[in-house]
Amino acid sequence: GAVVSQHPSRVICKSGTSVKIECRSLDFQATTMFWYRQFPKQSLMLMATSNEGSKATYEQGVEKDKFLINHASLTLSTLTVTSAHPEDSSFYICSAEPNRGREGAFFGQGTRLTVV
Amino acid sequence: DQQVKQNSPSLSVQEGRISILNCDYTNSMFDYFLWYKKYPAEGPTFLISISSIKDKNEDGRFTVFLNKSAKHLSLHIVPSQPGDSAVYFCAARISNFGNEKLTFGTGTRLTIIP
């Protein structure tokens, strides 16, 4: 199957700093990538849709100035958590879909962010 | 508003028996449904999917059933194996040429007892 790589897998940062998470499609081009957040024992919540060459589309309630998304190429999307607070600590996952196939989206390995 | 619901947060099944995971949805516009398996600290991996034009899809030990009138789908795993222990998410989407985002259920943690 298609491969989506996410980096880093784990990051610890201090309150007030910014953290960048990368999502790469390794063997296909993705004009659209999705960013999710998962709280403990809860579902994957879609944060935003990353669109190559244009602005991201954010879901209701997600602060676009806090979660900056850049999709500069067909294989890379980045999510930057700005001025991180402890409540931003979570598991962030990206996904991309190589084609409208039966398998839907392929997911990255996820990033565990801990803000101290 | 949780459009996709998995009402059982956890399920334990004896090895070799059938595991049945359930999922309900409220949005009648959903026309494609998927099941994903997730291990801790990893991204979900695709298991099986079904289009709304079908009521059953089978792939090896995994079978998904769709009841559109009841807005209900289920995943059957038989026989269950210890490696099946994971969190299972159902997901749904509305197929349109553009933003085909997935809406996920809350997940069911399946534990297979050896």
Side-chain angles (χ1 to χ4, degrees):
Chain A
V3 179
V4 175
S5 177
Q6 191 172 337
H7 177 81
S9 59
R10 187 183 300 268
V11 59
I12 301 173
C13 71
K14 292 184 178 180
S15 291
T17 61
S18 296
V19 174
K20 180 185 285 189
I21 303 170
E22 292 186 348
C23 181
R24 294 181 185 273
S25 56
L26 297 186
D27 51 0
F28 66 97
Q29 294 182 331
T31 56
T32 303
M33 291 184 176
F34 300 93
W35 286 96
Y36 295 85
R37 181 174 179 176
Q38 185 184 24
F39 294 99
K41 298 184 179 180
Q42 293 191 25
S43 182
L44 296 165
M45 301 301 298
L46 180 67
M47 298 174 64
T49 303
S50 173
N51 304 300
E52 189 269 335
S54 64
K55 292 183 180 179
T57 305
Y58 289 82
E59 295 299 302
Q60 192 173 8
V62 178
E63 299 176 60
K64 60 181 67 177
D65 293 331
K66 178 160 191 62
F67 298 100
L68 299 180
I69 291 174
N70 184 285
H71 195 150
S73 76
L74 288 171
T75 58
L76 174 64
S77 174
T78 60
L79 168 68
T80 301
V81 182
T82 63
S83 188
H85 288 181
E87 54 264 33
D88 298 326
S89 298
S90 192
F91 191 63
Y92 294 86
I93 310 175
C94 69
S95 75
E97 187 168 341
N99 53 57
R100 293 182 186 86
R102 55 180 285 275
E103 298 182 344
F106 288 86
F107 289 81
Q109 306 93 319
T111 298
R112 169 70 62 192
L113 171 63
T114 303
V115 184
V116 297
Chain B
D1 177 31
Q2 189 71 32
Q3 296 188 63
V4 180
K5 300 178 184 179
Q6 294 173 255
N7 292 318
S8 297
S10 62
L11 175 68
S12 294
V13 175
Q14 202 76 32
E15 181 179 359
R17 299 289 184 97
I18 183 171
S19 295
I20 300 177
L21 297 97
N22 294 302
C23 179
D24 297 290
Y25 62 96
T26 57
N27 190 339
S28 58
M29 297 293 290
F30 288 139
D31 60 2
Y32 198 77
F33 304 89
L34 308 94
W35 283 93
Y36 288 87
K37 178 179 179 180
K38 184 181 182 302
Y39 294 114
E42 293 184 11
T45 55
F46 172 80
L47 266 181
I48 192 169
S49 60
I50 188 167
S51 165
S52 60
I53 62 174
K54 296 185 175 182
D55 55 17
K56 177 183 175 181
N57 188 26
E58 189 173 352
D59 184 0
R61 297 187 297 115
F62 303 93
T63 303
V64 56
F65 295 92
L66 175 62
N67 183 333
K68 280 190 298 183
S69 61
K71 294 191 179 69
H72 176 84
L73 63 154
S74 61
L75 173 67
H76 293 209
I77 306 173
V78 57
S80 301
Q81 299 174 354
D84 296 329
S85 296
V87 177
Y88 290 78
F89 289 97
C90 67
R93 73 179 184 204
I94 303 168
S95 298
N96 63 73
F97 290 92
N99 185 355
E100 295 181 351
K101 61 184 180 182
L102 293 171
T103 301
F104 282 86
T106 47
T108 297
R109 181 176 300 278
L110 175 65
T111 302
I112 305 302
I113 305 165

